[in-house]
Amino acid sequence: MNVLVTGGAGYIGSHTVVELMNAGHEVIIADNLSNASADVIDRIEKITGKAPEFYRINCCSEILKSIFARHRIDAVIHFAGYKAVGESVRMPLQYYRNNIDSTLSLLEAMEYGGCKKLVFSSSATVYGPDNPHPYKEEMPALQSASPYGWTKVMIERILTDYVTAHPDFCAVLLRYFNPIGAHESGLLGDDPNGIPNNLMPYIGRVAAGKLEKLTIFGGDYATPDGTCQRDYLHVVDLAVGHLRALEYAMEHSGAEAINLGTGKGVSVLELVHAFEQANNMKLPFTIGARRDGDLPAFWADAEKAKKLLHWEAVHSLEDMCKSAWEFARTH
């Protein structure tokens, strides 16, 4: 199949591109490189033996239609969008404009090209502050604690409405949790531009001596050690989940929300200590104030993914920490 991957040069997108290409699919990437590097395309080629087609474009643009004019696109995996919870609290307009506009432009381009299969990169943040954990797909998902999460809520609503109007369209809404780790080759990992907003790339830069210390946001939550608990899963497991979701979409219609997670909660302090143990080092860190938009704890109920997609996470926390450090120390 010809698969368009928006945001395909990014962290999760690039790992998914590798899984798609290794499965024999032809991949076209659309990415403006706002939070990625062009050399990711070369790294993908080193891993797979073939370079994906690459267009450096803003996915909010009408130019997106030109890709559908040049290629027969069978399906789309949509990653393009801003993704940092804390940053979204400070920059809400940019998040609403970029994340929602890119999705609207993509749907118009898909309609133009006659493409009816979409896998959307949603988020566990759609469950908001009131649902108990573990999060289950049948819970209300019309709330969030941050503008980032609200963009995911709104996009899920847009896609659900679009599917209602186009019953032969399929949109798989992948609500995933906290991806960390890196590709086993050491060539792909989480390497954002500027100071990282996410935990693991920040840990990696502290471990590499590029940043002085790690600040943990909040040590007084109602959790066993006072720090936030999250469902951390290996990025390669997550990428495989997108491949399974694509296979599901090709055989179905309608909108389907599916969690991708391990089903286990791990605290920030537990992750820091796991990284130290896995890589035989000590990390300097301090406990700071809480960060706006963060919830105390959440993790997935991943049974639906197992049932519908025949998918479950297989990598351990140690695997995640070792692979993340292997990438960080070499990049």
Side-chain angles (χ1 to χ4, degrees):
M1 284 192 300
N2 292 333
V3 183
L4 172 63
V5 182
T6 68
Y11 173 46
I12 305 170
S14 61
H15 285 82
T16 301
V17 167
V18 166
E19 296 302 320
L20 289 168
M21 295 181 70
N22 284 341
H25 299 296
E26 297 293 326
V27 176
I28 301 96
I29 294 174
D31 199 307
N32 67 354
L33 303 181
S34 65
N35 198 34
S37 172
D39 67 3
V40 166
I41 308 303
D42 296 329
R43 296 182 206 168
I44 291 171
E45 183 177 10
K46 286 181 181 178
I47 294 169
T48 65
K50 184 178 179 180
E53 191 86 24
F54 173 61
Y55 293 89
R56 184 172 183 175
I57 64 170
N58 188 324
C59 291
C60 298
S61 168
E62 281 279 316
I63 300 174
L64 200 57
K65 287 183 180 178
S66 67
I67 295 178
F68 288 84
R70 295 176 187 174
H71 302 271
R72 181 183 59 80
I73 304 296
D74 298 298
V76 178
I77 302 180
H78 181 35
F79 294 105
Y82 297 149
K83 64 176 186 175
V85 169
E87 183 181 67
S88 76
V89 175
R90 301 191 306 273
M91 302 165 52
L93 291 183
Q94 289 91 326
Y95 269 70
Y96 286 120
R97 172 69 74 184
N98 182 75
N99 292 6
I100 294 173
D101 274 7
S102 64
T103 303
L104 294 174
S105 295
L106 175 61
L107 286 173
E108 290 169 352
M110 291 179 70
E111 196 167 289
Y112 169 81
C115 181
K116 300 178 180 180
K117 305 295 180 179
L118 174 67
V119 176
F120 172 58
S121 166
S122 192
S123 166
T125 56
V126 302
Y127 291 106
D130 298 327
N131 282 313
H133 47 261
Y135 289 157
K136 299 181 180 182
E137 290 89 348
E138 62 266 25
M139 290 176 173
L142 296 172
Q143 53 185 320
S144 186
S146 70
Y148 162 77
W150 274 113
T151 68
K152 298 298 186 180
V153 170
M154 292 176 181
I155 292 169
E156 284 200 11
R157 182 73 258 170
I158 289 168
L159 293 174
T160 302
D161 289 344
Y162 188 81
V163 166
T164 299
H166 301 81
D168 56 346
F169 194 94
C170 185
V172 182
L173 316 173
L174 292 183
R175 297 171 178 169
Y176 42 81
F177 286 67
N178 292 73
I180 59 174
H183 193 267
E184 63 182 2
S185 66
L187 293 173
L188 293 178
D190 197 355
D191 189 23
N193 297 330
I195 296 176
N197 285 296
N198 294 331
L199 178 59
M200 186 55 86
Y202 205 108
I203 287 176
R205 293 188 189 184
V206 171
K210 294 180 180 179
L211 294 172
E212 180 184 358
K213 63 182 177 181
L214 171 69
T215 298
I216 295 173
F217 297 112
D220 58 351
Y221 287 101
T223 60
D225 61 20
T227 64
C228 292
Q229 290 177 303
R230 296 291 183 264
D231 188 337
Y232 297 101
L233 73 158
H234 199 292
V235 66
V236 173
D237 283 335
L238 184 59
V240 172
H242 286 78
L243 181 60
R244 298 286 175 268
L246 181 67
E247 293 165 354
Y248 177 89
M250 299 309 294
E251 301 296 327
H252 295 82
S253 59
E256 196 72 59
I258 304 175
N259 291 337
L260 293 184
T262 66
K264 300 174 184 177
V266 175
S267 77
V268 174
L269 270 179
E270 286 176 323
L271 181 62
V272 169
H273 294 323
F275 187 94
E276 291 177 325
Q277 184 172 353
N279 298 301
N280 193 27
M281 65 173 65
K282 295 295 290 184
L283 292 171
F285 67 86
T286 186
I287 305 293
R290 295 186 182 190
R291 181 174 60 179
D292 290 339
D294 280 342
L295 297 179
F298 59 80
W299 53 87
D301 180 315
E303 288 302 308
K304 188 174 182 180
K306 187 187 242 184
K307 179 181 178 181
L308 294 189
L309 306 184
H310 310 292
W311 173 93
E312 58 185 321
V314 298
H315 289 83
S316 68
L317 190 61
E318 182 181 14
D319 294 334
M320 301 178 215
C321 292
K322 283 186 173 181
S323 63
W325 173 232
E326 176 62 22
F327 176 78
R329 74 177 184 83
T330 55
H331 291 84

